[in-house]
Amino acid sequence: MSRIIATAAIRGAHSIVKQAEEKLREAIESKGKDAKVDFPDTGYYLPIIYSATAFEVKTLGDCEEALGHARALLPPIPEEKIYLPYLGWALDAGIATLFAEEVIEACKYLIGPNPVDGIWLGAAADVILRERGIEFVDGTAPGFAAVVGAAPTNKIAVQIATELQEKNLYVFISGNTDGKSFAEQLDEEGVQLGWETRLVPFGKNITSTIYSLGFANKAALSFGGIKPADFTRNLIYNKNRIFAFVMALGEVDDEKYANAAGAINYGFPTIADTDIPEILPTGVCTYEHVVPLITHDKIVEKCIEVRGLKVAAAKVDIPVSYGPAFEGERIRKDDMQIEVGGPGTPAFEYVVMRDNNEIEDGKIEVVGPEMDEMEIGPGKPLGVYVEVSGRKMQPDFEPIFERRTHHFLGEAQGFFHMGQRDIIRHRISKDAFNKGFRIKHLGNIIHSKYHEEYGALLDKVQVTLYTSKEEVEKKLDEVKSAFTERDERALGMTDASVNQFYSCTLCQSFAPSHVCIISPERSGLCGAVSWLDGKAGYEITPTGPNQPIEKGKTIDEKLGLWEGTNEFLFNASNKEFEQVSMYSMVTNPMTSCGCFECISAMLPMTNGIMTVDRDYTGMTPCGMKFSTLAGTVGGGIQTPGFVGHSKFYMGSSKFISGDGGLARLVWMPKHLKDELTDALTEAANEAGLEDFINKIADETIAQTEEEVLEHLQKVKHPVLGLDPMF
């Protein structure tokens, strides 16, 4: 370890700990030691301190104790003539820095300046972790870049940001160089910032770097099942599964060195554009620890190499940048060249299977005017008519391809995609138009991505793009008829009507023992994978995460126990679990990874269950917020009395049917109740539960288990007549 870097990092750590002590003193003088502190909407307290020590920082008084931990980790600043092994000292100083920075940022939320200000977003809420974490699981986001400082020019900043986006990486931004931040440079050039575009500006001060590392810590706790205070496993998990690195732009001072030392603890190396001391031998990081003096045209490539990232960026023949980072891009009305679809304007996206001899691969045709012939503005009709063929292609795959079209088209920079089927609304920006993007390029994207993603199924892809109102309306009768037929076919499928279920082990990259078992009446717990998706996934990639599961002999029909599902679970969970009940949350429930849309938990006093979704940040009647529940249930374990699941599952006749079914549901957030009213009402009517939706309590009716029970008695909820769950 370079003595120069170690000394600088240790000096920086001493400086930041001192700042934290001063900030804490100011906060205590203003609010008192009993004042509550936290980051907004999280169940992980101050996540780095919590994950490292299991210490729950709840008050300013607790912050004093946390700073005691930081102060204890601080090594002495090395003297000029003393030469020692500095690695351990520098790493300790790095962790002390992170502890101190969490205290500083927590105090800011209490006494200011507020970390959320203008373009600065501050700490990531647990809702964001759930929404974005799945992208780290499925490989959509191979890792993140923690960019610290600023580029020499705004143009270089935009070039670096775009290249990182094209590599599908998240970009977490903090710190500044001579008062200028990388995020401010992007904002000045009109680049859209935020979680949607993966350009996330946490804060202008170097202390806001802890939000990047806090995100990684929370991912380990939530998805990896790592327990608080198991610091070694946390760091190993981050090194091997959260592929992140620090990109240091501009001058690196002592405090930046201290943050770099903190990041190295997690296996996250630092790559810089300036001439700083290097640390090339491998050790804590996979490869080099600090690599200096990389030119701006090579720095993204070098970061990926040093971190050991495997990035497969899509190559699509269009005149704009392309990648998942652009899917969240929004196009304002003033920036719009044209808008497709919307109220009163016919538009659709449709995929249909053909025989091989009926279509021509790569044929892309625009029937009607191109964008050059269209007036600027809304109200443009569009029919995206995709014909595919292949020996392994099946009609059941058509809707799966259609749903993926949403992502494929939306990943083009300057193209905003919303809706599906015959209710779509798209925008193309003036900037994309000026770069040469046209309607025909939608066909290029579809042809390229269909072959890339579904090459095992498809031989040919032909795309016709109808842009005249008459032609679009002419095709709509055929398209709507096909949609109706598909819906009827899917609704007729039940668990009993098939001999095979499908697995999804995609989340084992985060939760090694987790296995989703997907049936027609129980989708994957993330809500993104149906039985048909599982079937298609297996056809596309026979060795992939979706594998067929022969149900085999029935062991218990009520609980949903089969020999085949048990055998598959045992082998796929690394022999961790022997049985899984498809229809029970009490007896050997399905494992939960952390990507679930909802969690159901028993409320023993009521003899029923509550269900909470990840968008609800308040306290629940079981005494835990969603984030705390997720830590209890997630990580690939079976937790009797708790289960993660999709929203779709709640409207299924098999929803915890082994435990009494929908009649057990006694509480859920109001917004979730409103969202699922139609599905729950239909399921309740089929189960003979009269006026059931109005008998379910929500946070506007009851906030404690006692209040829920009082409501149940008042409305005569059917759960009161059921046998005990245990």
Side-chain angles (χ1 to χ4, degrees), residues 251-549:
E251 180 189 0
V252 180
D253 58 21
D254 288 353
E255 292 179 1
K256 289 179 182 177
Y257 277 121
N259 276 270
I264 287 174
N265 276 282
Y266 295 83
F268 302 164
T270 294
I271 296 84
D273 63 348
T274 53
D275 188 12
I276 62 175
E278 62 185 13
I279 306 175
L280 299 183
T282 59
V284 181
C285 296
T286 304
Y287 300 116
E288 296 90 345
H289 296 72
V290 179
V291 180
L293 210 58
I294 305 299
T295 59
H296 297 111
D297 61 331
K298 300 290 185 182
I299 196 166
V300 172
E301 178 185 333
K302 189 64 177 178
C303 287
I304 290 171
E305 173 198 334
V306 172
R307 185 60 183 93
L309 266 167
K310 304 300 180 185
V311 176
K315 296 296 181 183
V316 182
D317 186 19
I318 56 176
V320 295
S321 295
Y322 187 86
F326 302 109
E327 188 181 358
E329 183 183 15
R330 295 293 181 265
I331 299 172
R332 299 181 181 90
K333 187 176 181 180
D334 292 342
D335 300 326
M336 172 186 77
Q337 180 72 20
I338 65 165
E339 181 177 84
V340 167
T345 304
F348 67 82
E349 291 172 351
Y350 175 61
V351 177
V352 62
M353 188 180 98
R354 302 294 191 202
D355 289 336
N356 257 349
N357 59 2
E358 294 182 291
I359 61 174
E360 178 184 340
D361 184 49
K363 182 179 180 181
I364 299 168
E365 185 179 8
V366 178
V367 179
E370 244 301 356
M371 284 178 63
D372 306 83
E373 305 169 68
M374 299 178 186
E375 293 183 1
I376 294 175
K380 306 299 187 288
L382 177 66
V384 180
Y385 194 92
V386 183
E387 298 167 278
V388 298
S389 67
R391 292 181 182 273
K392 294 184 177 181
M393 182 63 191
Q394 300 177 28
D396 285 344
F397 300 161
E398 294 169 351
I400 297 168
F401 289 8
E402 276 171 19
R403 288 198 296 275
R404 290 295 290 160
T405 301
H406 168 82
H407 299 289
F408 294 157
L409 295 183
E411 290 177 8
Q413 187 178 33
F415 185 90
F416 169 67
H417 187 291
M418 185 169 68
Q420 295 277 274
R421 291 189 167 187
D422 59 335
I423 307 174
I424 63 173
R425 190 173 186 174
H426 308 332
R427 285 182 175 180
I428 299 175
S429 72
K430 291 176 182 177
D431 183 60
F433 176 78
N434 291 334
K435 289 178 179 177
F437 190 85
R438 299 295 184 266
I439 294 293
K440 67 178 181 181
H441 291 118
L442 302 182
N444 290 11
I445 294 170
I446 291 169
H447 177 263
S448 176
K449 293 300 290 182
Y450 274 31
H451 273 298
E452 179 184 332
E453 296 287 333
Y454 304 117
L457 296 176
L458 300 177
D459 296 326
K460 297 180 180 180
V461 179
Q462 178 175 305
V463 184
T464 308
L465 301 153
Y466 297 97
T467 60
S468 72
K469 185 176 181 180
E470 295 76 14
E471 291 292 339
V472 175
E473 289 177 336
K474 190 184 299 183
K475 284 289 182 182
L476 268 175
D477 287 340
E478 172 194 345
V479 168
K480 288 184 176 180
S481 176
F483 291 157
T484 301
E485 181 183 345
R486 287 180 193 166
D487 290 342
E488 290 174 350
R489 185 168 72 239
L491 286 172
M493 296 181 65
T494 65
D495 288 2
S497 69
V498 299
N499 295 320
Q500 279 186 342
F501 293 159
Y502 286 90
S503 70
C504 182
T505 54
L506 193 63
C507 292
Q508 285 194 346
S509 61
F510 272 71
S513 59
H514 171 62
V515 182
C516 252
I517 297 178
I518 302 165
S519 72
E521 295 182 83
R522 183 171 185 173
S523 63
L525 49 83
C526 67
V529 185
S530 69
W531 184 85
L532 288 173
D533 294 328
K535 181 180 179 183
Y538 174 67
E539 294 286 344
I540 295 165
T541 311
T543 58
N546 304 124
Q547 294 294 309
I549 304 172

